[in-house]
Amino acid sequence: MLGIVAVVLLIAWAKVHPFLSLILGAAVLGVVASVAPDKMITSFTGGVGTTVGGVGLLIALGAMIGGLLAESGGADGIVTRVVGRVSGRALPWAMAGVAALIGLPLFFEVGVVLLVPIVLLVSMRTDVPLMKLGIPALAGLSVLHGLVPPHPGPLVAISSLNADLGLTLGLGLLVAIPTVIISGPVFGNFIARYVPATAPAALLPTRRQPTAPAGSTDPAVSSAPAGSAAPAGNAAPAGSAGTTDRRDVDGDLLTDDDLVNPGGGRPGEPVDDSGTETSRRTPAFWPAVITVLLPVVLMLLRAIGELALDEGTAGRKTLDIVGTPIVALLAGVILAMFTLGYQAGFSRSQVSSVLGGSLPPIAGILLIVAAGGGFKQVLVDAGVGNLVADAAKDANLSPLLLGWLVAVGIRVATGSATVATITAAGIVAPLAATLDRPGVALLALAIGCGSLFFSHVNDAGFWLVKEYFGLTVGQTIKSWSVMETLISVIGFAGVLLLDLVV
């Protein structure tokens, strides 16, 4: 177990990046377990390759859908449509639902960046306490991030335990619904009385004005590119006066961003399309929703087909193919290119820029997940998992409880839900062989629930929430940390209840 202790100490005490910590922890584990150096290296690199091939592609495709959803304004459109049609008392429930929907394809941090400014604005306009809206939104994002693929944690657990992705997805959604309700609107209504919060003015979302009358002094226009002229009703790109429009080989108008920084966009940051604002339009509500849900629906259909259709039939084969995670997510990306890209007014080069720009931010996550896969494989090959499994049998602990407890311990110590999931899945993997298909899926969910337990000062998400909501450390612990603990406990309780009936 010294390898696990080394990872915890390197991350929590030495502040070493999790990627390096996992590599060094695997080395310590190999030395302590007397694994030959060449076999240890082979084991680690094999685990890295398997994890990247199985999980990395899915993370990348999910990030692309999330990038287009963010850049096109589709996420804002979904939020505005839902919030605009509900009353004040229903707003917390609407925010929880919207966050859960937005959280399907988006990483937690991207979801926070997109959704929290809207929460701040809605709170200011409706006079609803900020925590009463913020906690449901955070709960929706966090639960989906920890329990439902294609997020990295659930995917790693599914891969490590050889769980059925479609079945895990379906059971995860069943667990997620009551968990979001209790830890979101219900808890938010309670904690809003004890944690007064005011929306930070600097973070309130403002809309950039694309046009301005000549000579306007409107601050929104002052951010236009240097040297741009502003005749009535139009805004011209910098340096465009007296020059010919620059176009690519497809005939699309090139912007400065296309020429200087192609593929350099980031989720949550707008593509620089100065001078083309009049052609930009927010994607329609239902196409955006369908795009978000398409991969989920395809994977669920595959799981239903496995239960309802005979093996070898044409329908079963078709669902097996289209419901394969990489195919389902790829279909989502292709659909998003049209519904969230071209239909929103993006040119082909700009869609390419958004897709390319969605990949660099996930590089760190991919490396951590890959190193975690290598660490997990060294754990397995060194026999550590079997030792823990034997100890669990002697202690009469159920695999579900053991997986949850191990994930809780690693999460509290390191602050990383991903590291907690990877480590716990590697340790309890031998126990998965003793479980049936639903049991393995529930084990993956139990680990996911444990990985969300009590976020505190060693978790980047803690500071993200603190700064976005303008809270003190104490207020963040009372609200965010307690909410995360509720998610972990309530989610695990749901897993145990499902274990009684499936």
Side-chain angles (χ1 to χ4, degrees):
M1 303 300 288
L2 286 179
I4 298 173
V5 173
V7 172
V8 172
L9 290 177
L10 285 169
I11 295 175
W13 178 73
K15 308 301 180 187
V16 177
H17 191 277
F19 173 65
L20 293 176
S21 298
L22 286 164
I23 296 176
L24 296 174
V28 172
L29 175 63
V31 171
V32 173
S34 300
V35 178
D38 57 336
K39 292 183 178 180
M40 179 179 64
I41 294 173
T42 300
S43 177
F44 183 83
T45 54
V48 169
T50 300
T51 303
V52 172
V55 180
L57 291 175
L58 303 184
I59 295 175
L61 291 171
M64 286 183 168
I65 297 176
L68 281 170
L69 189 67
E71 296 282 9
S72 67
D76 292 339
I78 293 174
V79 172
T80 302
R81 174 74 172 270
V82 174
V83 170
R85 297 197 174 192
V86 296
S87 61
R89 288 189 175 183
L91 275 175
W93 298 87
M95 293 309 303
V98 169
L101 179 62
I102 295 298
L104 282 172
L106 294 179
F107 292 114
F108 175 79
E109 293 81 0
V110 178
V112 169
V113 171
L114 285 174
L115 196 56
V116 169
I118 304 299
V119 171
L120 301 179
L121 187 59
V122 171
S123 175
M124 183 185 69
R125 290 181 177 176
T126 60
D127 291 328
V128 176
L130 182 56
M131 285 291 98
K132 201 170 183 178
L133 296 178
I135 289 296
L138 292 172
L141 292 172
S142 183
V143 170
L144 272 292
H145 177 76
L147 298 183
V148 180
H151 291 284
L155 284 176
V156 169
I158 291 168
S159 175
S160 298
L161 302 175
N162 292 318
D164 182 273
L165 192 148
L167 183 59
T168 307
L169 174 59
L171 295 175
L173 290 174
L174 288 178
V175 173
I177 293 172
T179 303
V180 170
I181 290 174
I182 297 174
S183 61
V186 174
F187 176 66
N189 186 59
F190 168 78
I191 199 63
R193 308 172 197 168
Y194 304 98
V195 181
T198 304
L203 296 178
L204 289 172
T206 56
R207 185 181 298 275
R208 183 179 63 177
Q209 300 296 327
T211 62
S216 171
T217 58
D218 184 10
V221 184
S222 63
S223 60
S228 61
N234 292 287
S240 62
T243 63
T244 302
D245 289 340
R246 297 164 293 182
R247 298 181 180 273
D248 61 15
V249 294
D250 297 318
D252 294 322
L253 181 67
L254 286 172
T255 66
D256 290 338
D257 184 73
D258 297 320
L259 295 170
V260 177
N261 190 27
R266 298 289 186 273
E269 296 181 5
V271 172
D272 183 0
D273 58 345
S274 304
T276 66
E277 293 86 347
T278 54
S279 64
R280 182 61 52 82
R281 51 195 176 273
T282 301
F285 174 76
W286 284 112
V289 171
I290 292 172
T291 301
V292 171
L293 294 179
L294 177 64
V296 178
V297 171
L298 290 177
M299 288 187 280
L300 284 176
L301 286 176
R302 181 192 181 194
I304 294 172
E306 291 174 348
L307 298 174
L309 300 177
D310 294 330
E311 189 172 356
T313 61
R316 172 71 178 272
K317 290 180 179 178
T318 301
L319 291 179
D320 284 344
I321 294 173
V322 300
T324 302
I326 189 171
V327 175
L329 282 166
L330 180 60
V333 172
I334 294 173
L335 180 61
M337 291 173 64
F338 290 90
T339 59
L340 303 177
Y342 304 134
Q343 291 299 316
F346 285 118
S347 67
R348 282 168 286 182
S349 57
Q350 288 170 333
V351 169
S352 178
S353 177
V354 173
L355 293 176
S358 66
L359 297 178
I362 66 170
I365 295 174
L366 285 175
L367 289 174
I368 293 172
V369 169
F375 180 77
K376 180 266 300 182
Q377 194 59 46
V378 175
L379 271 173
V380 172
D381 293 345
V384 173
N386 293 327
L387 292 176
V388 175
D390 294 338
K393 291 177 183 177
D394 296 337
N396 293 320
L397 289 177
S398 74
L400 298 181
L401 179 59
L402 180 64
W404 184 77
L405 288 175
V406 172
V408 165
I410 301 299
R411 160 68 162 179
V412 172
T414 66
S416 172
T418 302
V419 172
T421 300
I422 292 168
T423 306
I427 288 176
V428 303
L431 297 178
T434 65
L435 303 174
D436 55 11
R437 285 177 65 246
V440 177
L442 290 175
L443 179 57
L445 293 176
I447 292 172
C449 290
S451 72
L452 298 176
F453 191 89
F454 195 71
S455 164
H456 59 100
V457 294
N458 62 355
D459 178 18
F462 178 92
W463 299 102
L464 188 67
V465 171
K466 175 187 177 298
E467 296 303 321
Y468 261 98
F469 286 95
L471 304 174
T472 65
V473 170
Q475 288 176 325
T476 311
I477 291 176
K478 290 178 184 178
S479 54
W480 162 254
S481 299
V482 174
M483 183 205 76
E484 286 284 87
T485 303
L486 282 174
I487 290 173
S488 179
V489 174
I490 296 168
F492 183 59
V495 169
L496 293 179
L497 290 175
L498 285 177
D499 188 44
L500 298 176
V501 298
V502 299

